[in-house]
Amino acid sequence: MQFRHKFKFNNPLNLARTIAKNANYMAFLYSGAKYSYSGNKSFLAWDALELTNSYQDLQKNLDEKQGFYENMWFGYFAYEFNAVKEAKTLNSKIDNDELCFFKPKNLIVFEHDHNIAHYYSVSATKFNLSETASSDNDFVISNLKSNMRKSEYLAKSEEIKENILAGNYYQVNLTRKFYGEIRAQDNFAIFCSLCQESAAPYSSFIKCANLNIISSSPERFMHIDSSGSVNVRPIKGTISNLNPNNEHILKASSKDQAENLMIVDLMRNDLSKLAKAASVKTNSLFDIDSYRNLHHMSSSISAQKNSSSIELIASSLPPGSMTGAPKIAAMQAIQQLEQWQRGVYSGSIGYIAGDGSADFSVVIRTIIIENNYFEFQVGGGIIYDSEAEKELLETYVKAKAICNILKISEQQLDNC
């Protein structure tokens, strides 16, 4: 892939909308809300020069001795890529692969600070890079269901607490999956609506044939630069921002701090397996990141890698903030409690570049659409101090943006 030319842009969403109409494979990694740690670039990649659903194949094709843009791969890892798999067959409606990555024929890099975009391509043929304005999206949703009723979620939260008391684990991330039918939709228009309703540093629109991933994630899973410096930023602790005092309430919450600290320890352990000795450090604890509908508590951990980037990423999946601790015991509990495959949700989306640089998000605040079927999932970490009703209300706070754009009420979620 070679640099072809640069141009000024007005709105990356409008340009990506043009590509989304015709591309079978596309990755739009969009920094819709910018934070100091999330950088100032967005990436739009489309048309597959090479495509793989095999980790071994992906690993073989990556070479960290190249330039950043020379061998970039974009895609996702599903939760089940590296999760505990027992003999029991889990329910599933969407037929996604455990990973899907492609090497694009075309790439646009948006530099938000200067409103300049750089276009790279394997072809020297001039491409018409036109921006398409937004359009109405009058979709229809029906047959909304869930993998567990409200009463089941409350009961399973209590079951987790009993198992914590018995010493089986310290924390489990319990989630509910909501799913149904959707018709007459424009999937990219839904993504644009989600970006407007819930701007986030790790928004992304991934198209892999009939699978559409519409994500507005606030959470970094792992960033690696060309020197091998690694940063992870797990989120644990959420509160609505409707009350002006809620930011201070979250910051001072010993329950949320305990929940967050467990995952910091877990992520430190994950990194230490393939990081240089004594390089794993906690940079900050219990930071508060504020968004339109909510506040999150996050912490920052750094390391220096001692392996290839893909090996470090793969060995750390699924993200610890989406499992609980200890990780294996928590994943075993998740499988028994939820009874459904999580699929892309709780996995990771991002890119790996030719020089070993990488940036991946945690797949939360995400709608998955395949043909006329959709699903989204929300949950949270249950610890011994958790109150089931409060945990349930927190899931509704997390689901608010998705429900607003899909026109689903809290009462409908309650009745599933």
Side-chain angles (χ1 to χ4, degrees):
M1 187 184 303
Q2 296 182 21
F3 171 73
R4 299 302 175 183
H5 64 272
K6 65 180 180 179
F7 59 95
K8 283 192 170 290
F9 64 87
N10 295 315
N11 187 339
L13 289 165
N14 289 342
L15 206 154
R17 181 182 285 105
T18 302
I19 304 302
K21 288 181 179 180
N22 300 310
N24 288 323
Y25 288 87
M26 169 183 171
F28 182 37
L29 309 183
Y30 178 52
S31 297
K34 298 167 193 64
Y35 284 78
S36 58
Y37 60 84
S38 63
N40 63 350
K41 292 182 173 66
S42 294
F43 298 88
L44 172 58
W46 73 97
D47 292 344
L49 183 64
E50 297 179 56
L51 173 69
T52 186
N53 304 117
S54 161
Y55 173 68
Q56 289 73 23
D57 186 48
L58 178 63
Q59 193 176 27
K60 181 179 68 176
N61 279 286
L62 292 170
D63 181 355
E64 299 186 359
K65 298 177 182 178
Q66 302 182 56
F68 184 90
Y69 298 110
E70 290 177 16
N71 187 32
M72 291 191 79
W73 290 76
F74 293 81
Y76 72 82
F77 291 98
Y79 172 82
E80 281 76 23
F81 165 74
N82 209 20
V84 172
K85 300 178 182 72
E86 297 181 354
K88 185 174 182 176
T89 301
L90 299 179
N91 296 308
S92 177
K93 289 280 189 180
I94 286 182
D95 186 26
N96 63 263
D97 294 294
E98 290 188 1
L99 75 155
C100 179
F101 279 83
F102 73 97
K103 182 178 179 178
K105 293 181 181 179
N106 302 284
L107 172 67
I108 296 174
V109 182
F110 299 95
E111 294 188 4
H112 294 283
D113 289 348
H114 307 290
N115 270 43
I116 294 291
H118 293 80
Y119 175 52
Y120 299 81
S121 179
V122 298
S123 172
T125 304
K126 189 168 179 60
F127 187 81
N128 181 22
L129 299 168
S130 60
E131 296 190 25
T132 302
S134 61
S135 57
D136 293 333
N137 187 26
D138 296 324
F139 53 82
V140 177
I141 281 181
S142 59
N143 299 322
L144 181 66
K145 298 178 182 177
S146 177
N147 67 320
M148 67 178 81
R149 290 184 172 276
K150 172 184 173 180
S151 58
E152 291 177 297
Y153 178 87
L154 296 173
K156 289 180 180 185
S157 295
E158 295 299 332
E159 181 182 339
I160 290 170
K161 291 171 64 175
E162 291 172 5
N163 276 282
I164 291 171
L165 187 61
N168 295 328
Y169 37 72
Y170 307 113
Q171 178 182 165
V172 168
N173 185 272
L174 180 66
T175 71
R176 295 175 75 191
K177 185 189 291 286
F178 297 94
Y179 57 93
E181 296 175 16
I182 184 168
R183 299 189 181 278
Q185 80 276 12
D186 177 338
N187 293 328
F188 193 80
I190 292 175
F191 172 70
C192 292
S193 297
L194 186 59
C195 289
Q196 183 175 8
E197 180 72 26
S198 179
Y202 284 96
S203 297
S204 57
F205 179 83
I206 306 292
K207 191 175 182 181
C208 292
N210 292 326
L211 183 71
N212 292 261
I213 306 168
I214 300 166
S215 182
S216 185
S217 175
E219 185 171 1
R220 165 180 283 179
F221 169 53
M222 188 177 297
H223 177 272
I224 306 172
D225 68 18
S226 58
S227 71
S229 294
V230 183
N231 178 256
V232 298
R233 198 175 180 91
I235 287 174
K236 272 297 162 199
T238 301
I239 196 169
S240 164
N241 65 6
L242 293 178
N243 184 325
N245 293 322
N246 277 358
E247 180 178 354
H248 304 291
I249 291 171
L250 179 60
K251 183 72 174 176
S253 169
S254 58
K255 178 261 182 189
D256 289 294
Q257 289 179 5
E259 188 179 334
N260 192 287
L261 191 59
M262 289 178 195
I263 302 307
V264 168
D265 287 342
L266 186 156
M267 295 298 293
R268 286 176 58 92
N269 182 67
D270 280 352
L271 288 175
S272 66
K273 296 172 186 175
L274 291 175
K276 289 184 179 179
S279 73
V280 179
K281 302 183 185 305
T282 302
N283 305 320
S284 64
L285 283 172
F286 316 143
D287 298 329
I288 303 299
D289 301 320
S290 298
Y291 299 89
R292 179 174 177 178
N293 297 314
L294 45 75
H295 303 290
H296 280 311
M297 179 180 286
S298 65
S299 296
S300 176
I301 307 148
S302 62
Q304 192 71 26
K305 71 175 188 177
N306 197 28
S307 67
S308 69
S309 293
I310 186 63
E311 288 173 323
L312 181 60
I313 292 163
S315 71
S316 302
L317 288 166
S321 60
M322 301 308 296
T323 62
K327 199 170 194 177
I328 299 301
M331 288 191 289
Q332 290 171 333
I334 285 167
Q335 189 175 100
Q336 294 299 318
L337 292 161
E338 294 183 5
Q339 303 287 309
W340 280 65
Q341 288 187 25
R342 287 190 174 181
V344 179
Y345 174 78
S346 295
S348 192
I349 289 170
Y351 71 81
I352 304 173
D355 62 356
S357 301
D359 204 5
F360 280 80
S361 67
V362 177
V363 183
I364 53 176
R365 316 297 134 75
T366 298
I367 306 166
I368 314 294
I369 299 177
E370 186 179 46
N371 299 319
N372 296 121
Y373 174 86
F374 79 93
E375 64 182 35
F376 66 92
Q377 209 154 336
V378 286
I382 308 297
I383 63 173
Y384 183 70
D385 289 343
S386 295
E387 297 178 35
E389 286 282 356
K390 286 185 178 180
E391 295 293 339
L392 179 71
L393 291 176
E394 183 179 305
T395 67
Y396 292 162
V397 171
K398 293 173 179 177
K400 183 176 180 179
I402 288 176
C403 288
N404 283 349
I405 66 168
L406 294 181
K407 302 177 181 64
I408 296 171
S409 68
E410 187 175 309
Q411 185 177 5
Q412 286 175 287
L413 299 186
D414 262 347
N415 292 336
C416 281

